Amino acid sequence: MVVIGLASLGIFVYSDWLWQANKLVHRYTSEEIAKAGLLRLIIIGLWVAFISGTCSMLFMNNRKLNLLEEALIKANEKIRILSLTDEFTGIYNRRGFFTLAEQHLKIINRMAKGMGLFFVDIDGLKLINDTLGHQEGDMAIIDTVNILKNTFRESDIIARMGGDEFAISAIGTYESDIKILATRLQENVKSHNGKNARSYNLSISVGVMWCDHKNPRSVEELLLQADKLMYQQKQKKNEGILWEKIIP
């Protein structure tokens, strides 16, 4: 298409120049003038077709590029979501938790708010897997996820850190909110056990750390302390959920 267009343009320019030059020394007949005019019209038609075809081709290519770019953006977003999400439960994974919890810390520092970090572990999941099968163990994990979703807000970050461990970042909380959330969590576990006819009672151990903008800590520090409290609570189930706050 490009070759034809350029060739026709060259022929038109050359023939027009030749026609104008020859008019100065020759007297053309009406038949010759008609043939020359027809040739000029043909060349102009080819040139118009070239311009039209080129514009159409550029438009189509641009549209294809736009569609390809949109598909690429959607694919990248899907990959990003998958990289932050636990495939089995559909909640955030460890990477997703650290990514978003860091944002929570920035928000509480900027808006002078507090944040509670909960670390949750399913009690006896290995025993459930060994005695009742991994399918029942998977159900225990899903049940725990549903309990966490019913306990915390949509704005809170709920993540599966691996195996039977979960972490939750509850932003905008006050020190007094921690005990309320912890009590609600345990009540939801009891309610679940009362409604579901499982051959075992679901049990979880929980450790919580709370900090505010006055005493900022990294996500790693909060998670490590909450993990320690969770193991202490696992060893002393009758003492309820253990929690602490960051103090200067």
Side-chain angles (χ1 to χ4, degrees):
M1 178 67 74
V2 174
V3 174
I4 293 174
L6 292 176
S8 63
L9 178 62
I11 293 172
F12 174 73
V13 172
Y14 174 74
S15 62
D16 187 66
W17 172 81
L18 191 63
W19 169 259
Q20 297 296 336
N22 287 337
K23 280 176 65 177
L24 299 175
V25 295
H26 296 288
R27 184 180 293 278
Y28 290 102
T29 66
S30 59
E31 184 179 354
E32 288 174 327
I33 293 174
K35 288 181 180 179
L38 179 60
L39 178 61
R40 287 159 64 90
L41 288 174
I42 292 173
I43 294 173
I44 291 173
L46 288 173
W47 180 245
V48 171
F50 163 71
I51 295 296
S52 176
T54 301
C55 291
S56 177
M57 187 166 55
L58 289 174
F59 174 77
M60 291 299 294
N61 287 339
N62 188 55
R63 186 179 180 187
K64 288 179 180 178
L65 285 173
N66 288 337
L67 291 174
L68 182 61
E69 185 179 6
E70 289 177 7
L72 208 57
I73 291 173
K74 290 180 180 178
N76 286 335
E77 179 63 15
K78 187 175 182 179
I79 291 172
R80 189 190 71 81
I81 293 173
L82 288 174
S83 71
L84 302 177
T85 305
D86 178 63
E87 184 178 2
F88 177 60
T89 62
I91 61 176
Y92 290 110
N93 58 19
R94 186 180 186 86
R95 179 180 180 183
F97 180 80
F98 275 99
T99 300
L100 298 175
E102 289 289 351
Q103 298 301 316
H104 271 194
L105 284 179
K106 292 178 181 178
I107 292 172
I108 69 168
N109 291 334
R110 188 167 61 247
M111 301 183 66
K113 290 183 177 293
M115 185 182 91
L117 195 150
F118 291 69
F119 197 84
V120 178
D121 183 88
I122 302 174
D123 297 326
L125 182 63
K126 185 178 184 303
L127 182 62
I128 295 173
N129 285 329
D130 293 343
T131 57
L132 302 176
H134 286 275
Q135 185 175 359
E136 198 65 37
D138 289 345
M139 288 303 302
I141 292 174
I142 295 298
D143 288 343
T144 302
V145 170
N146 290 332
I147 290 170
L148 294 176
K149 287 181 177 180
N150 290 332
T151 302
F152 296 94
R153 303 162 300 180
E154 290 187 8
S155 59
D156 297 330
I157 301 166
I158 303 173
R160 185 185 181 197
M161 305 301 282
D164 55 359
E165 296 179 336
F166 302 85
I168 303 94
S169 173
I171 194 173
T173 55
Y174 293 98
E175 187 178 339
S176 57
D177 296 329
I178 298 302
K179 187 175 181 180
I180 295 173
L181 286 170
T183 301
R184 185 192 303 166
L185 179 57
Q186 294 290 34
E187 288 177 350
N188 286 343
V189 172
K190 290 180 181 179
S191 175
H192 165 80
N193 288 329
K195 294 177 182 178
N196 289 275
R198 305 266 189 222
S199 56
Y200 61 91
N201 281 332
L202 184 67
S203 175
I204 61 173
S205 296
V206 186
V208 189
M209 289 299 296
W210 182 85
C211 71
D212 60 12
H213 66 289
K214 297 178 182 178
N215 303 288
R217 292 293 186 275
S218 68
V219 175
E220 289 84 357
E221 288 179 285
L222 292 172
L223 199 61
L224 180 62
Q225 292 301 318
D227 187 21
K228 289 180 179 179
L229 291 171
M230 181 273 296
Y231 274 107
Q232 291 178 29
Q233 197 254 339
K234 186 181 287 287
Q235 296 170 352
K236 304 174 182 180
K237 295 296 290 184
N238 61 331
E239 294 187 8
I241 293 176
L242 299 180
W243 73 278
E244 291 182 0
K245 69 174 181 177
I246 297 294
I247 58 176

